[in-house]
Amino acid sequence: MADALVYRAEGAAVANGTDLYGFTVTPWHLPATYPPFAALLFVPATWLPLPALKVAFAVGNAVLLALLVRLSCRFAGIAPRIAPVLAATAVGLWLEPVFQTLLFGQINLALACLLLWDLTRPPGTLGKGVAVGVAAGIKLTPAIFIFYALLRGRRREAATGAAAFAATVLLGALVLPGASVEFWTRRLYETDRVGKAWIVDNQSLQGLLARLLHTPAPGAVWWVAAVAVAVAGLWTARRTDERWGVLVVAVTALLVSPISWSHHWVWCVPLLALLLGEGRVRIAVAVAVVFTARTLWLVPHQGALDLHLPWWQQPLASPYPLFGLAVIGCAAVRARAQPMSPASRSSASTMRYA
């Protein structure tokens, strides 16, 4: 639970008034990488002894997975009955992103639940967008959903999300002014601080290109590819129905982010639910295989071996970004084949479920 130890150290830095971005913990020398607002939320992690904290993270993430499964059922239009939800939760623990989230003591499931809960609320609901803004204040990448709401014409929701995000930045600045200046002017742009972009752990577009081109810094190639994927993803998300739009935006964020560790891909849970809800059982099984096969850990990856993989091992080393590109491509074809009328688009965007 290396990441849980980092969160605990961040909370301790806030509580003790020490340098938030000056420490490293664990044998891997991991630093704080989240905005100051997130560190404020991690203060309660210092209240428990370390063994109790690890138990809390393990149990909490298992409960959050059950909640994510239930939210995913509602998202997909499936009645969330207790027995199937519990069974799906037990099976879902073996999905590699979920398993890694528990192993590292990560907060991916909490963020996914926060986002999916807010995104599935009917448009115009009081406070819709606040949870998205708060999630962005914790880990930045969810901010893409604010832009998505704007693209779909939901200006009030986008403004609410932006205001909530701004509030998190302001709160962080009021409580931790020095750390806020340091993060927003310096640490935010040090992507290598998060980790090596070329290792197989990184299942983003940059990781795929770094390994494919055998270079730790794909540079301009990655920038051009990231911009192209971002434009294609958001264009597709705007044109397709609401459910697929949400998933395409999530996948786009994972692809264009400089680093998306494998455990960030917990959005495979609502994707599987949506496929099952549409009756695409065989495709759902194939997707489940992708996220349980763990092929990225089967290729040589000790030291710098990730940079010297032969061509036939490249798909095994980058299953999630390749899958993400396929999702965007399939959704684009779907959007072109079945253009939505304004009325049906408005109806789909309500996503009211039992």
Side-chain angles (χ1 to χ4, degrees), residues 8 11 52 54 68 79 90 113 125 136 139 141 144 158 194 234 239 243 249 253 272 285 293 295 328 334:
R8 189 170 191 256
K54 291 184 176 183
L68 181 59
C113 287
T125 302
K139 209 171 181 178
T141 49
I144 193 173
V194 181
L234 291 172
R239 290 179 58 85
R243 294 182 177 94
V249 170
L272 286 167
V285 171
T295 60
I328 294 176
R334 175 192 178 103

Side-chain angles (χ1 to χ4, degrees), residues 8 32 54 59 63 102 124 155 157 160 352:
R8 189 170 191 256
K54 291 184 176 183
V59 174
V63 172
L102 270 72
R155 297 180 181 179
E157 179 184 332
T160 302
R352 288 188 174 94

